Amino acid sequence: PFFFSKPADAVVDSGISLPYPPQTENLHYEGELVIAIGVEGTCISEAEALGHIWGYAVGNDLTRRDLQAEAKEMGRPWDMAKGFDRSAVIGPIHAVKAVGHLSQGKIRTVVDGETKQEADLADMIWSVPEVVSILSHNITLRPGDLIMTGTPAGVGPLVAGQTCCVSIDGLGE
């Protein structure tokens, strides 16, 4: 996997109306499982990874796709495409002790009542323990860090005025 960062001010609570972000004409939704780290760690093994997780949430990794394509073409980082204000919509974080560790269950993104993404967490390219382990070999993970785990097929554009809802079995929407 590869990783990118979002600044803390990218995170917003679910259920609010967001302004259409500046500098883009092609905003995309990406429904994702979010991991909340609870125990600090570096170079965490896959076998130990679940012990570092405090909980899980539903997320929407908003992306300015036109800026991303431009950055890719120029060989530049994706920071302005992925890490803009209010680009990480995160639902309530559910403690592992309440929901367990998620390795399967439906993830769905619905835009204006039409299902756009639907898959099972079991079909993710990288498992939760793999994501935590691989990332921890590059940076120290600390309590409060949030990791968005990647999106199923079917990402697409959002236009001003649309309603986008992401849900994951056991976590709500």
Side-chain angles (χ1 to χ4, degrees):
F2 64 97
F3 301 95
F4 53 87
S5 297
K6 287 187 181 259
D9 66 357
V11 176
V12 292
D13 196 6
S14 63
I16 62 171
S17 293
L18 301 174
Y20 199 85
Q23 306 295 317
T24 190
E25 295 180 14
N26 193 11
L27 178 68
H28 278 210
Y29 55 81
E30 297 183 16
E32 303 193 18
L33 174 66
V34 178
I35 301 166
I37 296 298
V39 176
E40 184 172 315
T42 304
C43 297
I44 301 166
S45 71
E46 283 182 40
E48 298 172 330
L50 295 179
H52 290 263
I53 297 172
W54 186 88
Y56 297 95
V58 177
N60 191 349
D61 175 14
L62 298 174
T63 302
R64 296 190 287 193
R65 194 69 72 207
D66 45 356
L67 273 67
Q68 183 185 36
E70 186 178 299
K72 283 181 179 181
E73 185 175 301
M74 297 172 69
R76 292 186 176 171
W78 299 1
D79 294 353
M80 295 300 105
K82 299 295 264 183
F84 55 97
D85 295 343
R86 299 175 298 273
S87 61
V89 182
I90 308 287
I93 300 172
H94 302 270
V96 166
K97 63 185 174 188
V99 298
H101 286 289
L102 302 180
S103 60
Q104 62 184 17
K106 189 177 296 184
I107 179 171
R108 177 186 297 125
T109 303
V110 176
V111 177
D112 287 344
E114 183 181 341
T115 299
K116 300 291 189 175
Q117 293 182 287
E118 188 169 272
D120 195 286
L121 296 175
D123 296 329
M124 292 174 54
I125 295 171
W126 303 98
S127 70
V128 167
E130 288 173 319
V131 169
V132 170
S133 177
I134 292 167
L135 185 55
S136 78
H137 281 77
N138 290 283
I139 62 171
T140 299
L141 297 177
R142 292 190 168 81
D145 286 346
L146 301 176
I147 304 168
M148 298 180 99
T149 59
T151 192
V155 299
L158 286 172
V159 297
Q162 286 188 308
T163 299
C164 181
C165 182
V166 181
S167 62
I168 298 176
D169 288 350
L171 298 180
E173 57 184 50

